[in-house]
PDB file of all heavy atoms in Angstrom:
ATOM      1  N   ALA W  22      -2.209  10.206   2.541  1.00  0.00           N
ATOM      2  CA  ALA W  22      -2.854  11.466   3.085  1.00  0.00           C
ATOM      3  C   ALA W  22      -2.839  12.499   1.997  1.00  0.00           C
ATOM      4  O   ALA W  22      -3.717  13.361   2.025  1.00  0.00           O
ATOM      5  CB  ALA W  22      -2.048  11.802   4.413  1.00  0.00           C
ATOM      6  N   ARG W  23      -1.666  12.765   1.419  1.00  0.00           N
ATOM      7  CA  ARG W  23      -1.546  13.782   0.399  1.00  0.00           C
ATOM      8  C   ARG W  23      -2.527  13.505  -0.740  1.00  0.00           C
ATOM      9  O   ARG W  23      -3.227  14.514  -1.290  1.00  0.00           O
ATOM     10  CB  ARG W  23      -0.124  13.881  -0.175  1.00  0.00           C
ATOM     11  CG  ARG W  23       0.082  14.980  -1.282  1.00  0.00           C
ATOM     12  CD  ARG W  23       1.584  15.147  -1.638  1.00  0.00           C
ATOM     13  NE  ARG W  23       2.023  13.870  -2.203  1.00  0.00           N
ATOM     14  CZ  ARG W  23       2.944  12.921  -1.707  1.00  0.00           C
ATOM     15  NH1 ARG W  23       3.389  13.212  -0.469  1.00  0.00           N
ATOM     16  NH2 ARG W  23       3.258  11.919  -2.323  1.00  0.00           N
ATOM     17  N   ASP W  24      -2.715  12.389  -1.335  1.00  0.00           N
ATOM     18  CA  ASP W  24      -3.649  12.074  -2.372  1.00  0.00           C
ATOM     19  C   ASP W  24      -5.014  12.253  -1.984  1.00  0.00           C
ATOM     20  O   ASP W  24      -5.955  12.774  -2.769  1.00  0.00           O
ATOM     21  CB  ASP W  24      -3.455  10.645  -2.931  1.00  0.00           C
ATOM     22  CG  ASP W  24      -2.169  10.368  -3.700  1.00  0.00           C
ATOM     23  OD1 ASP W  24      -1.550  11.515  -4.003  1.00  0.00           O
ATOM     24  OD2 ASP W  24      -1.818   9.327  -4.025  1.00  0.00           O
ATOM     25  N   LEU W  25      -5.379  11.948  -0.636  1.00  0.00           N
ATOM     26  CA  LEU W  25      -6.731  12.011  -0.266  1.00  0.00           C
ATOM     27  C   LEU W  25      -7.071  13.447   0.429  1.00  0.00           C
ATOM     28  O   LEU W  25      -8.276  13.687   0.769  1.00  0.00           O
ATOM     29  CB  LEU W  25      -7.041  10.845   0.809  1.00  0.00           C
ATOM     30  CG  LEU W  25      -6.953   9.520   0.204  1.00  0.00           C
ATOM     31  CD1 LEU W  25      -7.379   8.472   1.371  1.00  0.00           C
ATOM     32  CD2 LEU W  25      -7.839   9.287  -1.042  1.00  0.00           C
ATOM     33  N   ALA W  26      -6.023  14.271   0.535  1.00  0.00           N
ATOM     34  CA  ALA W  26      -6.242  15.508   1.204  1.00  0.00           C
ATOM     35  C   ALA W  26      -6.824  15.394   2.634  1.00  0.00           C
ATOM     36  O   ALA W  26      -7.699  16.086   2.924  1.00  0.00           O
ATOM     37  CB  ALA W  26      -7.012  16.468   0.272  1.00  0.00           C
ATOM     38  N   VAL W  27      -6.238  14.407   3.394  1.00  0.00           N
ATOM     39  CA  VAL W  27      -6.625  14.225   4.777  1.00  0.00           C
ATOM     40  C   VAL W  27      -5.401  14.208   5.678  1.00  0.00           C
ATOM     41  O   VAL W  27      -4.223  14.371   5.085  1.00  0.00           O
ATOM     42  CB  VAL W  27      -7.471  13.069   4.986  1.00  0.00           C
ATOM     43  CG1 VAL W  27      -8.677  12.941   4.273  1.00  0.00           C
ATOM     44  CG2 VAL W  27      -6.552  11.766   4.749  1.00  0.00           C
ATOM     45  N   SER W  28      -5.615  14.450   6.821  1.00  0.00           N
ATOM     46  CA  SER W  28      -4.335  14.435   7.782  1.00  0.00           C
ATOM     47  C   SER W  28      -3.595  13.069   7.824  1.00  0.00           C
ATOM     48  O   SER W  28      -4.257  12.032   7.590  1.00  0.00           O
ATOM     49  CB  SER W  28      -4.655  14.895   9.192  1.00  0.00           C
ATOM     50  OG  SER W  28      -5.342  13.745   9.790  1.00  0.00           O
ATOM     51  N   ARG W  29      -2.317  13.094   8.050  1.00  0.00           N
ATOM     52  CA  ARG W  29      -1.605  11.808   7.987  1.00  0.00           C
ATOM     53  C   ARG W  29      -2.126  10.932   9.311  1.00  0.00           C
ATOM     54  O   ARG W  29      -2.145   9.819   9.187  1.00  0.00           O
ATOM     55  CB  ARG W  29      -0.130  12.049   8.162  1.00  0.00           C
ATOM     56  CG  ARG W  29       0.768  10.783   8.024  1.00  0.00           C
ATOM     57  CD  ARG W  29       2.296  11.125   8.263  1.00  0.00           C
ATOM     58  NE  ARG W  29       3.036   9.959   8.285  1.00  0.00           N
ATOM     59  CZ  ARG W  29       4.186   9.773   8.747  1.00  0.00           C
ATOM     60  NH1 ARG W  29       4.768  10.881   9.248  1.00  0.00           N
ATOM     61  NH2 ARG W  29       4.897   8.701   8.712  1.00  0.00           N
ATOM     62  N   GLY W  30      -2.430  11.660  10.347  1.00  0.00           N
ATOM     63  CA  GLY W  30      -3.043  10.870  11.382  1.00  0.00           C
ATOM     64  C   GLY W  30      -4.202  10.087  11.136  1.00  0.00           C
ATOM     65  O   GLY W  30      -4.311   8.990  11.664  1.00  0.00           O
ATOM     66  N   THR W  31      -5.134  10.673  10.263  1.00  0.00           N
ATOM     67  CA  THR W  31      -6.245   9.790   9.861  1.00  0.00           C
ATOM     68  C   THR W  31      -5.967   8.588   9.161  1.00  0.00           C
ATOM     69  O   THR W  31      -6.435   7.459   9.389  1.00  0.00           O
ATOM     70  CB  THR W  31      -7.167  10.812   9.012  1.00  0.00           C
ATOM     71  OG1 THR W  31      -7.526  11.851   9.671  1.00  0.00           O
ATOM     72  CG2 THR W  31      -8.345   9.967   8.546  1.00  0.00           C
ATOM     73  N   VAL W  32      -4.899   8.674   8.233  1.00  0.00           N
ATOM     74  CA  VAL W  32      -4.531   7.562   7.498  1.00  0.00           C
ATOM     75  C   VAL W  32      -3.789   6.449   8.482  1.00  0.00           C
ATOM     76  O   VAL W  32      -4.071   5.333   8.399  1.00  0.00           O
ATOM     77  CB  VAL W  32      -3.641   7.952   6.379  1.00  0.00           C
ATOM     78  CG1 VAL W  32      -3.081   6.788   5.648  1.00  0.00           C
ATOM     79  CG2 VAL W  32      -4.282   8.839   5.429  1.00  0.00           C
ATOM     80  N   VAL W  33      -2.915   7.056   9.302  1.00  0.00           N
ATOM     81  CA  VAL W  33      -2.283   6.131  10.350  1.00  0.00           C
ATOM     82  C   VAL W  33      -3.322   5.299  11.164  1.00  0.00           C
ATOM     83  O   VAL W  33      -3.239   4.136  11.421  1.00  0.00           O
ATOM     84  CB  VAL W  33      -1.249   6.910  11.177  1.00  0.00           C
ATOM     85  CG1 VAL W  33      -0.662   6.061  12.336  1.00  0.00           C
ATOM     86  CG2 VAL W  33      -0.064   7.379  10.341  1.00  0.00           C
ATOM     87  N   GLY W  34      -4.373   6.162  11.574  1.00  0.00           N
ATOM     88  CA  GLY W  34      -5.418   5.451  12.370  1.00  0.00           C
ATOM     89  C   GLY W  34      -6.104   4.241  11.634  1.00  0.00           C
ATOM     90  O   GLY W  34      -6.337   3.262  12.242  1.00  0.00           O
ATOM     91  N   ALA W  35      -6.457   4.649  10.362  1.00  0.00           N
ATOM     92  CA  ALA W  35      -7.010   3.778   9.591  1.00  0.00           C
ATOM     93  C   ALA W  35      -6.258   2.400   9.284  1.00  0.00           C
ATOM     94  O   ALA W  35      -6.595   1.223   9.492  1.00  0.00           O
ATOM     95  CB  ALA W  35      -7.470   4.271   8.244  1.00  0.00           C
TER      96      ALA W  35
END
Side-chain angles (χ1 to χ4, degrees):
R23 183 175 60 251
D24 284 350
L25 299 180
V27 299
S28 72
R29 187 184 178 198
T31 300
V32 176
V33 170

